[in-house]
PDB file of all heavy atoms in Angstrom:
ATOM      1  N   ALA V 201      27.445  17.941  -5.122  1.00 92.00           N
ATOM      2  CA  ALA V 201      28.569  18.284  -4.256  1.00 92.00           C
ATOM      3  C   ALA V 201      29.395  17.047  -3.931  1.00 92.00           C
ATOM      4  O   ALA V 201      30.635  17.095  -3.916  1.00 92.00           O
ATOM      5  CB  ALA V 201      28.055  18.936  -2.972  1.00 92.00           C
ATOM      6  N   HIS V 202      28.719  15.921  -3.693  1.00 94.00           N
ATOM      7  CA  HIS V 202      29.474  14.744  -3.281  1.00 94.00           C
ATOM      8  C   HIS V 202      30.176  14.069  -4.454  1.00 94.00           C
ATOM      9  O   HIS V 202      31.310  13.583  -4.303  1.00 94.00           O
ATOM     10  CB  HIS V 202      28.573  13.739  -2.577  1.00 94.00           C
ATOM     11  CG  HIS V 202      29.357  12.719  -1.817  1.00 94.00           C
ATOM     12  ND1 HIS V 202      30.051  13.025  -0.660  1.00 94.00           N
ATOM     13  CD2 HIS V 202      29.620  11.412  -2.072  1.00 94.00           C
ATOM     14  CE1 HIS V 202      30.680  11.955  -0.228  1.00 94.00           C
ATOM     15  NE2 HIS V 202      30.447  10.958  -1.061  1.00 94.00           N
ATOM     16  N   VAL V 203      29.536  14.044  -5.599  1.00 92.00           N
ATOM     17  CA  VAL V 203      30.194  13.399  -6.731  1.00 92.00           C
ATOM     18  C   VAL V 203      31.425  14.208  -7.152  1.00 92.00           C
ATOM     19  O   VAL V 203      32.449  13.644  -7.578  1.00 92.00           O
ATOM     20  CB  VAL V 203      29.201  13.203  -7.899  1.00 92.00           C
ATOM     21  CG1 VAL V 203      29.025  14.456  -8.736  1.00 92.00           C
ATOM     22  CG2 VAL V 203      29.618  12.032  -8.776  1.00 92.00           C
ATOM     23  N   SER V 204      31.362  15.524  -7.007  1.00 91.00           N
ATOM     24  CA  SER V 204      32.537  16.361  -7.307  1.00 91.00           C
ATOM     25  C   SER V 204      33.664  16.081  -6.314  1.00 91.00           C
ATOM     26  O   SER V 204      34.846  16.055  -6.692  1.00 91.00           O
ATOM     27  CB  SER V 204      32.150  17.843  -7.261  1.00 91.00           C
ATOM     28  OG  SER V 204      31.204  18.158  -8.254  1.00 91.00           O
ATOM     29  N   ALA V 205      33.294  15.865  -5.040  1.00 91.00           N
ATOM     30  CA  ALA V 205      34.308  15.555  -4.028  1.00 91.00           C
ATOM     31  C   ALA V 205      34.990  14.226  -4.333  1.00 91.00           C
ATOM     32  O   ALA V 205      36.216  14.083  -4.187  1.00 91.00           O
ATOM     33  CB  ALA V 205      33.662  15.518  -2.641  1.00 91.00           C
ATOM     34  N   MET V 206      34.211  13.217  -4.760  1.00 92.00           N
ATOM     35  CA  MET V 206      34.824  11.918  -5.094  1.00 92.00           C
ATOM     36  C   MET V 206      35.718  12.040  -6.316  1.00 92.00           C
ATOM     37  O   MET V 206      36.810  11.448  -6.366  1.00 92.00           O
ATOM     38  CB  MET V 206      33.732  10.875  -5.323  1.00 92.00           C
ATOM     39  CG  MET V 206      32.958  10.499  -4.074  1.00 92.00           C
ATOM     40  SD  MET V 206      31.947   8.986  -4.250  1.00 92.00           S
ATOM     41  CE  MET V 206      30.833   9.457  -5.580  1.00 92.00           C
ATOM     42  N   ALA V 207      35.284  12.800  -7.318  1.00 91.00           N
ATOM     43  CA  ALA V 207      36.111  12.973  -8.509  1.00 91.00           C
ATOM     44  C   ALA V 207      37.429  13.661  -8.167  1.00 91.00           C
ATOM     45  O   ALA V 207      38.487  13.320  -8.717  1.00 91.00           O
ATOM     46  CB  ALA V 207      35.340  13.774  -9.558  1.00 91.00           C
ATOM     47  N   ALA V 208      37.386  14.625  -7.242  1.00 89.00           N
ATOM     48  CA  ALA V 208      38.608  15.322  -6.841  1.00 89.00           C
ATOM     49  C   ALA V 208      39.583  14.380  -6.150  1.00 89.00           C
ATOM     50  O   ALA V 208      40.806  14.527  -6.278  1.00 89.00           O
ATOM     51  CB  ALA V 208      38.260  16.489  -5.926  1.00 89.00           C
ATOM     52  N   MET V 209      39.055  13.392  -5.408  1.00 90.00           N
ATOM     53  CA  MET V 209      39.909  12.422  -4.718  1.00 90.00           C
ATOM     54  C   MET V 209      40.331  11.287  -5.646  1.00 90.00           C
ATOM     55  O   MET V 209      41.315  10.592  -5.390  1.00 90.00           O
ATOM     56  CB  MET V 209      39.181  11.839  -3.506  1.00 90.00           C
ATOM     57  CG  MET V 209      38.912  12.837  -2.403  1.00 90.00           C
ATOM     58  SD  MET V 209      38.246  12.027  -0.907  1.00 90.00           S
ATOM     59  CE  MET V 209      36.680  11.410  -1.539  1.00 90.00           C
ATOM     60  N   GLY V 210      39.549  11.049  -6.694  1.00 91.00           N
ATOM     61  CA  GLY V 210      39.838   9.945  -7.599  1.00 91.00           C
ATOM     62  C   GLY V 210      39.440   8.588  -7.043  1.00 91.00           C
ATOM     63  O   GLY V 210      39.995   7.559  -7.450  1.00 91.00           O
ATOM     64  N   ARG V 211      38.444   8.552  -6.156  1.00 92.00           N
ATOM     65  CA  ARG V 211      37.993   7.275  -5.580  1.00 92.00           C
ATOM     66  C   ARG V 211      36.613   7.446  -4.963  1.00 92.00           C
ATOM     67  O   ARG V 211      36.190   8.559  -4.653  1.00 92.00           O
ATOM     68  CB  ARG V 211      38.963   6.784  -4.508  1.00 92.00           C
ATOM     69  CG  ARG V 211      39.174   7.731  -3.349  1.00 92.00           C
ATOM     70  CD  ARG V 211      40.194   7.191  -2.354  1.00 92.00           C
ATOM     71  NE  ARG V 211      40.524   8.175  -1.329  1.00 92.00           N
ATOM     72  CZ  ARG V 211      39.836   8.347  -0.208  1.00 92.00           C
ATOM     73  NH1 ARG V 211      38.765   7.596   0.035  1.00 92.00           N
ATOM     74  NH2 ARG V 211      40.216   9.251   0.684  1.00 92.00           N
ATOM     75  N   LEU V 212      35.931   6.311  -4.797  1.00 94.00           N
ATOM     76  CA  LEU V 212      34.647   6.315  -4.108  1.00 94.00           C
ATOM     77  C   LEU V 212      34.876   6.493  -2.613  1.00 94.00           C
ATOM     78  O   LEU V 212      35.800   5.906  -2.045  1.00 94.00           O
ATOM     79  CB  LEU V 212      33.903   4.996  -4.350  1.00 94.00           C
ATOM     80  CG  LEU V 212      33.515   4.676  -5.796  1.00 94.00           C
ATOM     81  CD1 LEU V 212      32.896   3.290  -5.870  1.00 94.00           C
ATOM     82  CD2 LEU V 212      32.552   5.719  -6.332  1.00 94.00           C
ATOM     83  N   ALA V 213      34.048   7.289  -1.961  1.00 94.00           N
ATOM     84  CA  ALA V 213      34.189   7.510  -0.523  1.00 94.00           C
ATOM     85  C   ALA V 213      32.907   8.125   0.013  1.00 94.00           C
ATOM     86  O   ALA V 213      32.208   8.858  -0.687  1.00 94.00           O
ATOM     87  CB  ALA V 213      35.373   8.436  -0.222  1.00 94.00           C
ATOM     88  N   ALA V 214      32.616   7.818   1.279  1.00 94.00           N
ATOM     89  CA  ALA V 214      31.447   8.406   1.932  1.00 94.00           C
ATOM     90  C   ALA V 214      31.723   9.821   2.419  1.00 94.00           C
ATOM     91  O   ALA V 214      30.788  10.555   2.738  1.00 94.00           O
ATOM     92  CB  ALA V 214      31.009   7.533   3.110  1.00 94.00           C
ATOM     93  N   GLU V 215      33.014  10.210   2.478  1.00 93.00           N
ATOM     94  CA  GLU V 215      33.399  11.559   2.886  1.00 93.00           C
ATOM     95  C   GLU V 215      34.395  12.127   1.888  1.00 93.00           C
ATOM     96  O   GLU V 215      35.207  11.401   1.302  1.00 93.00           O
ATOM     97  CB  GLU V 215      34.046  11.555   4.276  1.00 93.00           C
ATOM     98  CG  GLU V 215      33.122  11.128   5.397  1.00 93.00           C
ATOM     99  CD  GLU V 215      33.808  11.189   6.753  1.00 93.00           C
ATOM    100  OE1 GLU V 215      34.938  11.717   6.826  1.00 93.00           O
ATOM    101  OE2 GLU V 215      33.210  10.703   7.734  1.00 93.00           O
ATOM    102  N   GLY V 216      34.345  13.458   1.707  1.00 91.00           N
ATOM    103  CA  GLY V 216      35.317  14.120   0.858  1.00 91.00           C
ATOM    104  C   GLY V 216      36.574  14.478   1.621  1.00 91.00           C
ATOM    105  O   GLY V 216      36.691  14.226   2.831  1.00 91.00           O
ATOM    106  N   LEU V 217      37.527  15.074   0.926  1.00 90.00           N
ATOM    107  CA  LEU V 217      38.761  15.517   1.582  1.00 90.00           C
ATOM    108  C   LEU V 217      38.482  16.575   2.643  1.00 90.00           C
ATOM    109  O   LEU V 217      39.279  16.768   3.560  1.00 90.00           O
ATOM    110  CB  LEU V 217      39.729  16.083   0.536  1.00 90.00           C
ATOM    111  CG  LEU V 217      40.358  15.063  -0.426  1.00 90.00           C
ATOM    112  CD1 LEU V 217      41.163  15.770  -1.495  1.00 90.00           C
ATOM    113  CD2 LEU V 217      41.226  14.072   0.343  1.00 90.00           C
ATOM    114  N   ASP V 218      37.330  17.250   2.533  1.00 84.00           N
ATOM    115  CA  ASP V 218      36.954  18.248   3.525  1.00 84.00           C
ATOM    116  C   ASP V 218      36.370  17.632   4.785  1.00 84.00           C
ATOM    117  O   ASP V 218      36.002  18.341   5.724  1.00 84.00           O
ATOM    118  CB  ASP V 218      35.955  19.239   2.928  1.00 84.00           C
ATOM    119  CG  ASP V 218      34.715  18.551   2.329  1.00 84.00           C
ATOM    120  OD1 ASP V 218      34.593  17.314   2.449  1.00 84.00           O
ATOM    121  OD2 ASP V 218      33.878  19.266   1.740  1.00 84.00           O
ATOM    122  N   GLY V 219      36.243  16.286   4.821  1.00 89.00           N
ATOM    123  CA  GLY V 219      35.693  15.610   5.992  1.00 89.00           C
ATOM    124  C   GLY V 219      34.183  15.629   6.070  1.00 89.00           C
ATOM    125  O   GLY V 219      33.599  15.159   7.042  1.00 89.00           O
ATOM    126  N   VAL V 220      33.528  16.164   5.038  1.00 90.00           N
ATOM    127  CA  VAL V 220      32.065  16.237   5.034  1.00 90.00           C
ATOM    128  C   VAL V 220      31.499  14.966   4.415  1.00 90.00           C
ATOM    129  O   VAL V 220      31.915  14.556   3.320  1.00 90.00           O
ATOM    130  CB  VAL V 220      31.578  17.474   4.248  1.00 90.00           C
ATOM    131  CG1 VAL V 220      30.055  17.523   4.207  1.00 90.00           C
ATOM    132  CG2 VAL V 220      32.142  18.737   4.868  1.00 90.00           C
ATOM    133  N   SER V 221      30.558  14.337   5.109  1.00 93.00           N
ATOM    134  CA  SER V 221      29.976  13.092   4.612  1.00 93.00           C
ATOM    135  C   SER V 221      28.836  13.378   3.652  1.00 93.00           C
ATOM    136  O   SER V 221      28.284  14.483   3.614  1.00 93.00           O
ATOM    137  CB  SER V 221      29.471  12.242   5.776  1.00 93.00           C
ATOM    138  OG  SER V 221      28.223  12.718   6.249  1.00 93.00           O
ATOM    139  N   VAL V 222      28.459  12.343   2.899  1.00 94.00           N
ATOM    140  CA  VAL V 222      27.358  12.487   1.958  1.00 94.00           C
ATOM    141  C   VAL V 222      26.075  12.858   2.689  1.00 94.00           C
ATOM    142  O   VAL V 222      25.258  13.654   2.194  1.00 94.00           O
ATOM    143  CB  VAL V 222      27.198  11.200   1.125  1.00 94.00           C
ATOM    144  CG1 VAL V 222      26.835   9.996   1.993  1.00 94.00           C
ATOM    145  CG2 VAL V 222      26.152  11.390   0.023  1.00 94.00           C
ATOM    146  N   HIS V 223      25.869  12.335   3.900  1.00 93.00           N
ATOM    147  CA  HIS V 223      24.656  12.657   4.647  1.00 93.00           C
ATOM    148  C   HIS V 223      24.670  14.098   5.167  1.00 93.00           C
ATOM    149  O   HIS V 223      23.629  14.755   5.222  1.00 93.00           O
ATOM    150  CB  HIS V 223      24.489  11.674   5.813  1.00 93.00           C
ATOM    151  CG  HIS V 223      24.414  10.247   5.363  1.00 93.00           C
ATOM    152  ND1 HIS V 223      25.426   9.344   5.606  1.00 93.00           N
ATOM    153  CD2 HIS V 223      23.468   9.583   4.660  1.00 93.00           C
ATOM    154  CE1 HIS V 223      25.085   8.179   5.082  1.00 93.00           C
ATOM    155  NE2 HIS V 223      23.911   8.295   4.509  1.00 93.00           N
ATOM    156  N   GLN V 224      25.834  14.574   5.548  1.00 90.00           N
ATOM    157  CA  GLN V 224      25.930  15.971   5.972  1.00 90.00           C
ATOM    158  C   GLN V 224      25.634  16.920   4.814  1.00 90.00           C
ATOM    159  O   GLN V 224      25.074  17.992   5.015  1.00 90.00           O
ATOM    160  CB  GLN V 224      27.312  16.252   6.564  1.00 90.00           C
ATOM    161  CG  GLN V 224      27.525  15.591   7.923  1.00 90.00           C
ATOM    162  CD  GLN V 224      28.966  15.679   8.409  1.00 90.00           C
ATOM    163  OE1 GLN V 224      29.896  15.429   7.639  1.00 90.00           O
ATOM    164  NE2 GLN V 224      29.152  16.027   9.665  1.00 90.00           N
ATOM    165  N   ARG V 225      25.975  16.522   3.604  1.00 90.00           N
ATOM    166  CA  ARG V 225      25.670  17.354   2.444  1.00 90.00           C
ATOM    167  C   ARG V 225      24.155  17.454   2.228  1.00 90.00           C
ATOM    168  O   ARG V 225      23.641  18.495   1.809  1.00 90.00           O
ATOM    169  CB  ARG V 225      26.357  16.795   1.187  1.00 90.00           C
ATOM    170  CG  ARG V 225      27.874  16.781   1.267  1.00 90.00           C
ATOM    171  CD  ARG V 225      28.518  16.389  -0.047  1.00 90.00           C
ATOM    172  NE  ARG V 225      29.878  15.916   0.148  1.00 90.00           N
ATOM    173  CZ  ARG V 225      30.936  16.692   0.366  1.00 90.00           C
ATOM    174  NH1 ARG V 225      30.780  18.006   0.411  1.00 90.00           N
ATOM    175  NH2 ARG V 225      32.135  16.170   0.532  1.00 90.00           N
ATOM    176  N   ILE V 226      23.430  16.370   2.522  1.00 91.00           N
ATOM    177  CA  ILE V 226      21.976  16.404   2.392  1.00 91.00           C
ATOM    178  C   ILE V 226      21.391  17.397   3.391  1.00 91.00           C
ATOM    179  O   ILE V 226      20.508  18.203   3.059  1.00 91.00           O
ATOM    180  CB  ILE V 226      21.385  14.998   2.618  1.00 91.00           C
ATOM    181  CG1 ILE V 226      21.878  14.033   1.535  1.00 91.00           C
ATOM    182  CG2 ILE V 226      19.856  15.046   2.610  1.00 91.00           C
ATOM    183  CD1 ILE V 226      21.477  12.594   1.771  1.00 91.00           C
ATOM    184  N   SER V 227      21.868  17.348   4.643  1.00 84.00           N
ATOM    185  CA  SER V 227      21.371  18.276   5.658  1.00 84.00           C
ATOM    186  C   SER V 227      21.703  19.717   5.295  1.00 84.00           C
ATOM    187  O   SER V 227      20.874  20.621   5.464  1.00 84.00           O
ATOM    188  CB  SER V 227      21.959  17.926   7.026  1.00 84.00           C
ATOM    189  OG  SER V 227      21.531  16.636   7.440  1.00 84.00           O
ATOM    190  N   THR V 228      22.904  19.950   4.788  1.00 81.00           N
ATOM    191  CA  THR V 228      23.305  21.293   4.393  1.00 81.00           C
ATOM    192  C   THR V 228      22.425  21.825   3.264  1.00 81.00           C
ATOM    193  O   THR V 228      22.141  23.023   3.198  1.00 81.00           O
ATOM    194  CB  THR V 228      24.780  21.301   3.957  1.00 81.00           C
ATOM    195  OG1 THR V 228      25.604  20.892   5.062  1.00 81.00           O
ATOM    196  CG2 THR V 228      25.224  22.685   3.499  1.00 81.00           C
ATOM    197  N   ALA V 229      21.969  20.916   2.398  1.00 84.00           N
ATOM    198  CA  ALA V 229      21.097  21.319   1.289  1.00 84.00           C
ATOM    199  C   ALA V 229      19.682  21.639   1.757  1.00 84.00           C
ATOM    200  O   ALA V 229      18.867  22.117   0.961  1.00 84.00           O
ATOM    201  CB  ALA V 229      21.063  20.227   0.229  1.00 84.00           C
ATOM    202  N   GLY V 230      19.381  21.361   3.032  1.00 80.00           N
ATOM    203  CA  GLY V 230      18.081  21.731   3.571  1.00 80.00           C
ATOM    204  C   GLY V 230      17.030  20.656   3.539  1.00 80.00           C
ATOM    205  O   GLY V 230      15.846  20.935   3.714  1.00 80.00           O
ATOM    206  N   TYR V 231      17.441  19.393   3.329  1.00 87.00           N
ATOM    207  CA  TYR V 231      16.466  18.296   3.283  1.00 87.00           C
ATOM    208  C   TYR V 231      16.516  17.551   4.618  1.00 87.00           C
ATOM    209  O   TYR V 231      17.473  16.850   4.918  1.00 87.00           O
ATOM    210  CB  TYR V 231      16.801  17.345   2.137  1.00 87.00           C
ATOM    211  CG  TYR V 231      15.710  16.337   1.816  1.00 87.00           C
ATOM    212  CD1 TYR V 231      14.933  16.482   0.677  1.00 87.00           C
ATOM    213  CD2 TYR V 231      15.466  15.248   2.643  1.00 87.00           C
ATOM    214  CE1 TYR V 231      13.940  15.575   0.371  1.00 87.00           C
ATOM    215  CE2 TYR V 231      14.477  14.333   2.349  1.00 87.00           C
ATOM    216  CZ  TYR V 231      13.721  14.489   1.205  1.00 87.00           C
ATOM    217  OH  TYR V 231      12.729  13.589   0.910  1.00 87.00           O
ATOM    218  N   ALA V 232      15.468  17.733   5.430  1.00 86.00           N
ATOM    219  CA  ALA V 232      15.348  17.003   6.699  1.00 86.00           C
ATOM    220  C   ALA V 232      14.608  15.704   6.413  1.00 86.00           C
ATOM    221  O   ALA V 232      13.506  15.717   5.874  1.00 86.00           O
ATOM    222  CB  ALA V 232      14.591  17.826   7.719  1.00 86.00           C
ATOM    223  N   TYR V 233      15.199  14.563   6.759  1.00 91.00           N
ATOM    224  CA  TYR V 233      14.638  13.279   6.354  1.00 91.00           C
ATOM    225  C   TYR V 233      14.379  12.373   7.549  1.00 91.00           C
ATOM    226  O   TYR V 233      14.967  12.532   8.625  1.00 91.00           O
ATOM    227  CB  TYR V 233      15.575  12.568   5.378  1.00 91.00           C
ATOM    228  CG  TYR V 233      16.993  12.401   5.886  1.00 91.00           C
ATOM    229  CD1 TYR V 233      17.338  11.366   6.752  1.00 91.00           C
ATOM    230  CD2 TYR V 233      17.994  13.296   5.508  1.00 91.00           C
ATOM    231  CE1 TYR V 233      18.630  11.226   7.218  1.00 91.00           C
ATOM    232  CE2 TYR V 233      19.290  13.157   5.974  1.00 91.00           C
ATOM    233  CZ  TYR V 233      19.609  12.124   6.824  1.00 91.00           C
ATOM    234  OH  TYR V 233      20.893  11.980   7.303  1.00 91.00           O
ATOM    235  N   VAL V 234      13.503  11.408   7.312  1.00 92.00           N
ATOM    236  CA  VAL V 234      13.250  10.374   8.311  1.00 92.00           C
ATOM    237  C   VAL V 234      13.921   9.063   7.914  1.00 92.00           C
ATOM    238  O   VAL V 234      14.172   8.211   8.758  1.00 92.00           O
ATOM    239  CB  VAL V 234      11.740  10.170   8.530  1.00 92.00           C
ATOM    240  CG1 VAL V 234      11.066   9.531   7.326  1.00 92.00           C
ATOM    241  CG2 VAL V 234      11.484   9.336   9.787  1.00 92.00           C
ATOM    242  N   THR V 235      14.216   8.894   6.618  1.00 95.00           N
ATOM    243  CA  THR V 235      14.998   7.747   6.166  1.00 95.00           C
ATOM    244  C   THR V 235      15.795   8.165   4.945  1.00 95.00           C
ATOM    245  O   THR V 235      15.373   9.051   4.190  1.00 95.00           O
ATOM    246  CB  THR V 235      14.099   6.532   5.849  1.00 95.00           C
ATOM    247  OG1 THR V 235      14.909   5.385   5.561  1.00 95.00           O
ATOM    248  CG2 THR V 235      13.171   6.809   4.668  1.00 95.00           C
ATOM    249  N   VAL V 236      16.951   7.545   4.745  1.00 96.00           N
ATOM    250  CA  VAL V 236      17.870   7.983   3.699  1.00 96.00           C
ATOM    251  C   VAL V 236      18.677   6.790   3.193  1.00 96.00           C
ATOM    252  O   VAL V 236      18.928   5.837   3.925  1.00 96.00           O
ATOM    253  CB  VAL V 236      18.818   9.092   4.229  1.00 96.00           C
ATOM    254  CG1 VAL V 236      19.780   8.546   5.271  1.00 96.00           C
ATOM    255  CG2 VAL V 236      19.587   9.764   3.097  1.00 96.00           C
ATOM    256  N   GLY V 237      19.048   6.827   1.933  1.00 96.00           N
ATOM    257  CA  GLY V 237      19.916   5.809   1.341  1.00 96.00           C
ATOM    258  C   GLY V 237      20.757   6.443   0.259  1.00 96.00           C
ATOM    259  O   GLY V 237      20.465   7.562  -0.208  1.00 96.00           O
ATOM    260  N   GLU V 238      21.800   5.753  -0.170  1.00 96.00           N
ATOM    261  CA  GLU V 238      22.679   6.334  -1.175  1.00 96.00           C
ATOM    262  C   GLU V 238      23.293   5.246  -2.058  1.00 96.00           C
ATOM    263  O   GLU V 238      23.435   4.102  -1.640  1.00 96.00           O
ATOM    264  CB  GLU V 238      23.797   7.149  -0.523  1.00 96.00           C
ATOM    265  CG  GLU V 238      24.857   6.360   0.231  1.00 96.00           C
ATOM    266  CD  GLU V 238      24.388   5.835   1.573  1.00 96.00           C
ATOM    267  OE1 GLU V 238      23.436   6.411   2.154  1.00 96.00           O
ATOM    268  OE2 GLU V 238      24.979   4.833   2.050  1.00 96.00           O
ATOM    269  N   HIS V 239      23.628   5.633  -3.282  1.00 96.00           N
ATOM    270  CA  HIS V 239      24.444   4.829  -4.190  1.00 96.00           C
ATOM    271  C   HIS V 239      25.683   5.648  -4.538  1.00 96.00           C
ATOM    272  O   HIS V 239      25.555   6.756  -5.071  1.00 96.00           O
ATOM    273  CB  HIS V 239      23.693   4.505  -5.484  1.00 96.00           C
ATOM    274  CG  HIS V 239      22.595   3.515  -5.338  1.00 96.00           C
ATOM    275  ND1 HIS V 239      21.294   3.773  -5.694  1.00 96.00           N
ATOM    276  CD2 HIS V 239      22.603   2.248  -4.866  1.00 96.00           C
ATOM    277  CE1 HIS V 239      20.546   2.708  -5.463  1.00 96.00           C
ATOM    278  NE2 HIS V 239      21.311   1.776  -4.953  1.00 96.00           N
TER     279      HIS V 239
END
Side-chain angles (χ1 to χ4, degrees):
H202 196 71
V203 82
S204 296
M206 292 194 299
M209 293 188 296
R211 59 182 173 86
L212 297 175
E215 295 182 9
L217 290 174
D218 55 4
V220 178
S221 79
V222 63
H223 301 110
Q224 289 171 315
R225 298 187 201 283
I226 296 173
S227 297
T228 299
Y231 192 106
Y233 54 82
V234 69
T235 187
V236 68
E238 70 285 336
H239 288 123

